[in-house]
Amino acid sequence: MSIEHMEQMETLLPEWLETSRLRTGQGEVASYIPELAKAARDTLGVFVADSQGKTIAAGDYGIPFTMQSISKVFTLILALMDHGEEAVFYNVGKEPTGDDFNSMIKLELVEPGIPFNPLINAGAITVSSLIAGDSPEDKSQRILQFFRKLAGNDGLDYNMDVYHSELETGDLNRSLAYFLKQNGVLKDPVEDVLSVYFKHCSIEVNCADLSRMALVLAFDGVDPCNGEKLIPRRYVQIAKTFMVTCGMYNASGEFAIDVGIPAKSGVSGGILALVPGQYGIGVVGPSLNSKGNSTAGVHLLERLSKEFSWSLF
Amino acid sequence: MSIEHMEQMETLLPEWLETSRLRTGQGEVASYIPELAKAARDTLGVFVADSQGKTIAAGDYGIPFTMQSISKVFTLILALMDHGEEAVFYNVGKEPTGDDFNSMIKLELVEPGIPFNPLINAGAITVSSLIAGDSPEDKSQRILQFFRKLAGNDGLDYNMDVYHSELETGDLNRSLAYFLKQNGVLKDPVEDVLSVYFKHCSIEVNCADLSRMALVLAFDGVDPCNGEKLIPRRYVQIAKTFMVTCGMYNASGEFAIDVGIPAKSGVSGGILALVPGQYGIGVVGPSLNSKGNSTAGVHLLERLSKEFSWSLF
Amino acid sequence: MSIEHMEQMETLLPEWLETSRLRTGQGEVASYIPELAKAARDTLGVFVADSQGKTIAAGDYGIPFTMQSISKVFTLILALMDHGEEAVFYNVGKEPTGDDFNSMIKLELVEPGIPFNPLINAGAITVSSLIAGDSPEDKSQRILQFFRKLAGNDGLDYNMDVYHSELETGDLNRSLAYFLKQNGVLKDPVEDVLSVYFKHCSIEVNCADLSRMALVLAFDGVDPCNGEKLIPRRYVQIAKTFMVTCGMYNASGEFAIDVGIPAKSGVSGGILALVPGQYGIGVVGPSLNSKGNSTAGVHLLERLSKEFSWSLF
Amino acid sequence: MSIEHMEQMETLLPEWLETSRLRTGQGEVASYIPELAKAARDTLGVFVADSQGKTIAAGDYGIPFTMQSISKVFTLILALMDHGEEAVFYNVGKEPTGDDFNSMIKLELVEPGIPFNPLINAGAITVSSLIAGDSPEDKSQRILQFFRKLAGNDGLDYNMDVYHSELETGDLNRSLAYFLKQNGVLKDPVEDVLSVYFKHCSIEVNCADLSRMALVLAFDGVDPCNGEKLIPRRYVQIAKTFMVTCGMYNASGEFAIDVGIPAKSGVSGGILALVPGQYGIGVVGPSLNSKGNSTAGVHLLERLSKEFSWSLF
């Protein structure tokens, strides 16, 4: 059935993408990191890969963009591989927040003052501090190598302009980080942790890279192209669960109902999504809706999910 | 494989249940509704049904208890069947809150002042007001008939002592309801809505009833015992998604990671859970953890999910 | 000096009032109680009384309006006279909130769940429940008699249209009251308490009545016109302190800095203010600023305070 | 009458102080800045000065302590003298918050995201950034000179141990400052602003110094000992008003009702208080109540206020 779907997708995806592209006018490109504001608002691209090495692409699938929050999924996995579940979840919770991804309210109000989950900023900053390594540079290097392996792309690298733009304008993340430091959640110096965090957010990819990383999750941690076991199954399970409950900011509940597949978005307009046992998907569409998700990207994924009954539920 | 699992379960469930029963000492029976406080703290029962009519039970599976919040799943479904998605989700959102199930904070702070989802109290009260019917009695009658059909049990009925206990002590729900009235979310008189709400919370079931209701969800709305189509597939999908993202109060994220199946708990200690395409499950264990879920019941479901790899993720 | 000021005021007040009246265009008449929405937006009146029986009036000082939140000052005093400080402040705090007057957030978040002060709605509802009396009617009767005595006006009475309008639309106050009931702060039935509360908010006065009531506070509880001791000095002190810290909703801090005299406003546009040992003042101007205070009334009081150096500070 | 009071005070103050000292057992010495934790819990001292140069002291009035939050009153005054009312209150509000002095909630929730008042930490950090000066050192120097003049003590200086202790452990203030930076409230680099802020908090005084600084406020900005005009009257008025509405953290409302004089406390246990036109008062008692105020110091001031009818209200 998957092959049949691939054929149908190949034929119809370009048309569906153009329909979804009309939605780009309803959102706005993120402006809070100056470098991100340079993206073209009407961009939309998608790339789908299956386990047989078959791929389908449409629209602006080749343009580069930074991973931003999408990277949080994989730093979580790396932290789990470095320290195990117990250590990671001593410092970060497992619950959706219902608040904005950069909110400080629950850190102040809800004991014990740890981030509610690893996909909000406070949680992802905490996870960054848990990556093994002797120095921030070492941690960043380990992250990059891990991401390169998952994407099957040794050329993956930082966009240093975006990194510096984030460093310079990231005062809200700094505020979050010092709050976490005060609460005893962060052990390392704040600027060290933030350099790791901002760097992995600045890793530049295209839709093909995302689809390949997603494919590894879709096949429980094994790269289906070469059979290499890259991630323990349990950590993939944890990651996929968080993608469903918290992956699309505070529109995650709606996305679960309307699309129903594990996905993670970033403010660059990227979305990594997957159909377990079938596909890895990369989407880019920098025009964001009010919740911070690619407005056209979500529209396209909903169409795909409904046409091919992808929902897990 | 399912048959094999059923055999294993039949053999091992009594032992696993007794292991989980040891956890009852770590929780407390709900005391805020006086009638509920009468439950025995060390009670634990489970009932599993599959589509072939095979059932397995262990522990105190036969004791009666009221559905409480478990009923919210099915009133949501009935409201969807009465009015469709658009009308229901105009009045209630789709997002987890991260707050207590009876919190008022987001109603005050987050525009447009509608409940975040149908499984917190504010949302379920709103859903109660959307049930079709000429009068509160009529609405309640429709709910009861629907629940009887789902449970395949014409004897299902209200526990009027619990109902009156809730009516008398339900001032926090009254407060929520008047807030919703103020925000224009409720159209009917508050006491009318609350009588419908408290009544469906007071429907008395046992584990077998829950397992049968769950089985209908596990088979996409069709009663596998007689092939009758009771709920449109899409509404089952919506219900199962909410069960995963919001079903276990603000421990839903943790439950999704540790157990990973659609479930809904109630403060009476009941849990309705399901394995899609396989099982309907009813659990009761009135000793609750700090999040309001059956402490032993969650423990038992986690054991089962891990032993049989039930997680959707 | 006071006499000299009175003469200056007599000459200049009409002109100052017309200058302030220009500010009415910057605000809006309260609309949430339908009866209040009927007030004319450009209304502005003021009435000043001193201890010698001398009075000065300007503008629309004769129009009737309901006391609304202004009444809270005097029900607090009556509750203190009925039960003493300890009993009253067991149920209601002494702190400004920084939140809207009808906010529920601190009731939910801050232990022990009592209202922060007696001048926000939750606090005033609590105070209403503390008025001595065998029945709601009896309590309301005692309040009315007390207000009549303070105003030296036996004709003071309820505006029953406003009362019924509040009863019908007061769902947010109902929500607050049930929350207080749940927290154990209210002992009596909610509707009984609310009838007392809505009734004292609906007592109809004019600027002359307010100035006379204020004069009693300006002279430490003694009616300077007849020497009658109406309120113990300590309770006047408490009332004046609350008027300074919480009297002008969450613009109280600003008013204390810019005007600096004890005052209490209501959503009908009334303001009761006083200069200790000198004047009682009544103002009406239904056009409200975003904080719920009479926009022109505050402007006029600021002018008067600055011209005559009235600030306590 | 003042002279008579001075005589009474001289006789009775030592006894009253010892009575209040018994309260030190009910509080705790602040521990969050390690240097502060070294203070002796049962310390209590008081120093009263009048305009004739008469002084009365009792208890441990001579021990040195750092000003901490007490300094906020005078940096506010200096910022007002440097830039005027409009510029200062463009960046900081005038309202009590009802929240803890280091809370971030209202910064996140309430537009326009400026601190509610200059006496909470966020507000005082903002005020520090408004002090005129070419560099942080220059600003700090101007503050120190101003404080020395107000205290009539050229020997006033920083306690550099406390300063470094605060610098090292001040992550919550750093978090606040970066949040303010993000909101555009702070223009200078955060660490520059914090060095100014932590430094003025670390100025070391004793009760006599505080009483002399308070005396200047009690006489509307004029040093009564030498007739020198140190502060414009309007800025003293603003300072005194804030001391009444926000001076004692979120126990300011209670203090206004029970004591009723302008006062400002610090976590070192110091309290600066004044009786307008009469006295300047310095108190120290490091054992703090749950709101962060000197438990015995507040008790002693309440006694004094009641005995001599000091309340402004």
Side-chain angles (χ1 to χ4, degrees), chain A residues 26-79:
Chain A
Q26 295 175 11
E28 295 292 338
V29 172
S31 58
Y32 74 99
I33 304 170
E35 277 296 317
L36 294 185
K38 299 177 180 173
R41 192 189 185 198
D42 66 347
T43 298
L44 185 63
V46 63
F47 197 100
V48 182
D50 79 0
S51 64
Q52 312 303 312
K54 174 117 182 81
T55 65
I56 304 173
D60 312 307
Y61 63 88
I63 67 151
F65 54 94
T66 51
M67 292 185 77
Q68 299 301 330
S69 294
I70 298 170
S71 61
K72 297 170 179 175
V73 172
F74 300 98
T75 50
L76 169 65
I77 289 171
L78 187 55

Side-chain angles (χ1 to χ4, degrees), chain B residues 139-298:
Chain B
K139 290 165 196 252
S140 289
Q141 201 50 39
R142 290 190 65 242
I143 292 170
L144 185 59
Q145 291 306 339
F146 183 56
F147 282 33
R148 284 175 173 172
K149 198 148 206 175
L150 291 167
N153 178 355
D154 282 347
L156 227 59
D157 216 333
Y158 306 113
N159 178 325
M160 292 304 283
D161 290 337
V162 171
Y163 170 64
H164 286 116
S165 194
E166 301 209 26
L167 256 190
E168 275 158 36
T169 59
D171 288 323
L172 189 49
N173 284 317
R174 249 174 214 102
S175 180
L176 280 168
Y178 278 109
F179 204 99
L180 293 168
K181 183 84 179 165
Q182 176 74 28
N183 286 9
V185 178
L186 297 187
K187 313 295 180 216
D188 291 338
V190 161
E191 288 298 336
D192 284 1
V193 175
L194 287 176
S195 83
V196 175
Y197 174 71
F198 288 140
K199 261 197 179 156
H200 70 66
C201 287
S202 304
I203 292 176
E204 196 165 78
V205 293
N206 60 28
C207 291
D209 296 316
L210 286 191
S211 76
R212 183 74 182 271
M213 296 176 90
L215 199 61
V216 176
L217 301 182
F219 285 86
D220 291 337
V222 178
D223 186 332
C225 306
N226 57 24
E228 196 177 352
K229 193 173 172 176
L230 299 174
I231 309 169
R233 188 192 170 342
R234 170 63 180 155
Y235 300 152
V236 174
Q237 187 177 60
I238 290 172
K240 287 191 297 182
T241 311
F242 276 124
M243 291 167 83
V244 167
T245 57
C246 319
M248 301 298 280
Y249 303 119
N250 48 352
S252 299
E254 188 177 3
F255 189 87
I257 283 175
D258 295 340
V259 188
I261 58 174
K264 181 75 204 83
S265 61
V267 289
S268 53
I271 305 176
L272 174 150
L274 60 103
V275 185
Q278 299 191 58
Y279 308 113
I281 303 169
V283 177
V284 67
S287 180
L288 306 181
N289 61 27
S290 65
K291 299 296 188 78
N293 296 312
S294 171
T295 183
V298 169

Side-chain angles (χ1 to χ4, degrees), chain C residues 94-99 106 116 233-234 237 240-242 244 250-254 256-258 311-313, chain D residues 94-99 106 116 233-234 237 240-242 244 250-254 256-258 311-313:
Chain C
K94 299 172 178 171
E95 298 305 320
T97 67
D99 301 320
K106 284 195 166 57
F116 256 47
R233 184 184 173 348
R234 171 62 179 155
Q237 188 176 60
K240 287 191 297 183
T241 311
F242 276 123
V244 167
N250 48 350
S252 299
E254 188 177 3
I257 283 175
D258 295 339
S311 171
L312 305 192
F313 303 103
Chain D
K94 300 172 177 172
E95 298 304 320
T97 68
D99 301 321
K106 284 195 165 59
F116 256 47
R233 183 182 174 350
R234 170 62 180 155
Q237 187 176 59
K240 288 191 296 183
T241 311
F242 276 123
V244 167
N250 48 352
S252 299
E254 188 176 2
I257 283 175
D258 294 340
S311 171
L312 307 191
F313 302 103

